[in-house]
Amino acid sequence: MGRALRRRSAGTDRHPTDARRRLPANDRREGVIGLAQRQGALEIRQFLRSRESVVFTMAFPVIMILIFASIFTWDITPGVSFTQYFVTGMIATGLMTVGFQSLAIQIPIERDRGVLKRLRGTPMPKWAYFAGKVIMVAAIAVVEIALLLAVSVGFFGLELPSTVGRWLTFGWVTVLGLTACTLCGIAFSSVSRTARGATATATPVALVLQFISGVFFVFTDLPVWMQQVAALFPLKWMCQGLRSVFLPESFAAQEPAGSWELGKVALILTAWCVIGLVLCLRTFRWSLDR
């Protein structure tokens, strides 16, 4: 009798994680995926409820294309219109806005309101918070790209890539660029200590990068020192990679190196993914008192 009671008490005293360890691998995997999906759906709903975020993040690049493509109607080089050139920069800008700027503003607001501190005190694992942000960024980026391409094709005659290779290039440039921007946005969120300072801190950085990275102007028309500064950051390489997708092969001669340098584009964007991850791990703060 005593041995039976001891066996029962030993079973009830086991830590809850012991039970989770006994779950089949498939069940644990489904639990992780389900938690990430629920957190992602929550982040998307919160984003859509903020009209300011929706307008600035999603509508701003579309408005800029409508304005610039309507004003600047000439060709940059024979067979390459300004619209074709500009849309590549605005897609890259849209990715940076969704990944870098939105997170660099959202996270300080949540930190200032104590949301992060409360989340840290709940049983929800920390990774779920970041998984939700990543899912939100990816979902908004897909919609953003679709809107930009639809407007450019429908109103300004943009030609979509005609080969599988170009679509593959479009895919990996988008994924690497969005990943780098997302990680850098999470890391940059620790720069501002207040919700009020978040917009004032992140927006100028994003605007400066747009002006020096060949978004609003042909990159080779910029001063050489400005090109060299832009080459240190991912936006310039995102724009260059996307130009290789939407512009004819002959335009590669107009690039600073006389070619698309896709290998270098991949290398630098991957390096920024690593840099962003390291900065996130070293600088992210859940509360202002740390």
Side-chain angles (χ1 to χ4, degrees), residues 142-174:
V142 170
V143 176
E144 179 99 69
I145 292 172
L147 284 173
L148 292 173
L149 292 179
V151 169
S152 300
V153 172
F155 293 94
F156 303 105
L158 176 72
E159 296 182 6
L160 294 177
S162 57
T163 64
V164 175
R166 291 201 169 196
W167 279 113
L168 290 175
T169 301
F170 179 74
W172 68 255
V173 170
T174 299

Side-chain angles (χ1 to χ4, degrees), residues 225-245:
W225 68 266
M226 199 174 290
Q227 296 180 32
Q228 292 172 345
V229 172
L232 299 175
F233 300 97
L235 183 59
K236 181 264 183 188
W237 300 101
M238 292 163 62
C239 292
Q240 185 168 315
L242 291 174
R243 285 197 293 271
S244 74
V245 174

Side-chain angles (χ1 to χ4, degrees), residues 5 21 28 47 61 66 75 110 143 170 196 229 233 237 240 246 266 278:
L5 289 174
R21 291 192 190 101
R28 290 199 301 271
F47 172 83
L66 290 173
D75 288 348
E110 293 175 350
V143 176
F170 179 74
R196 288 184 179 181
V229 172
F233 300 97
W237 300 101
Q240 185 168 315
F246 291 96
V278 172

Side-chain angles (χ1 to χ4, degrees), residues 49-183:
R49 288 171 184 169
S50 175
R51 296 179 181 178
E52 297 83 358
S53 298
V54 173
V55 171
F56 185 80
T57 303
M58 301 188 68
F60 178 74
V62 175
I63 294 172
M64 294 300 292
I65 282 185
L66 290 173
I67 293 174
F68 274 74
S70 298
I71 296 174
F72 303 108
T73 57
W74 58 80
D75 288 348
I76 300 174
T77 60
V80 179
S81 66
F82 182 82
T83 303
Q84 285 178 291
Y85 186 93
F86 185 65
V87 72
T88 61
M90 288 315 299
I91 291 175
T93 295
L95 296 175
M96 184 186 68
T97 301
V98 172
F100 173 80
Q101 195 168 351
S102 65
L103 294 182
I105 294 173
Q106 287 178 15
I107 294 175
I109 293 174
E110 293 175 350
R111 185 187 294 117
D112 200 18
R113 292 175 178 174
V115 175
L116 297 187
K117 194 173 185 178
R118 291 194 296 271
L119 284 175
R120 193 182 182 193
T122 66
M124 185 182 77
K126 295 178 182 179
W127 63 261
Y129 172 76
F130 298 104
K133 293 293 186 187
V134 170
I135 292 173
M136 178 198 70
V137 166
I140 296 171
V142 170
V143 176
E144 179 99 69
I145 292 172
L147 284 173
L148 292 173
L149 292 179
V151 169
S152 300
V153 172
F155 293 94
F156 303 105
L158 176 72
E159 296 182 6
L160 294 177
S162 57
T163 64
V164 175
R166 291 201 169 196
W167 279 113
L168 290 175
T169 301
F170 179 74
W172 68 255
V173 170
T174 299
V175 170
L176 285 178
L178 187 62
T179 302
C181 289
T182 300
L183 292 170

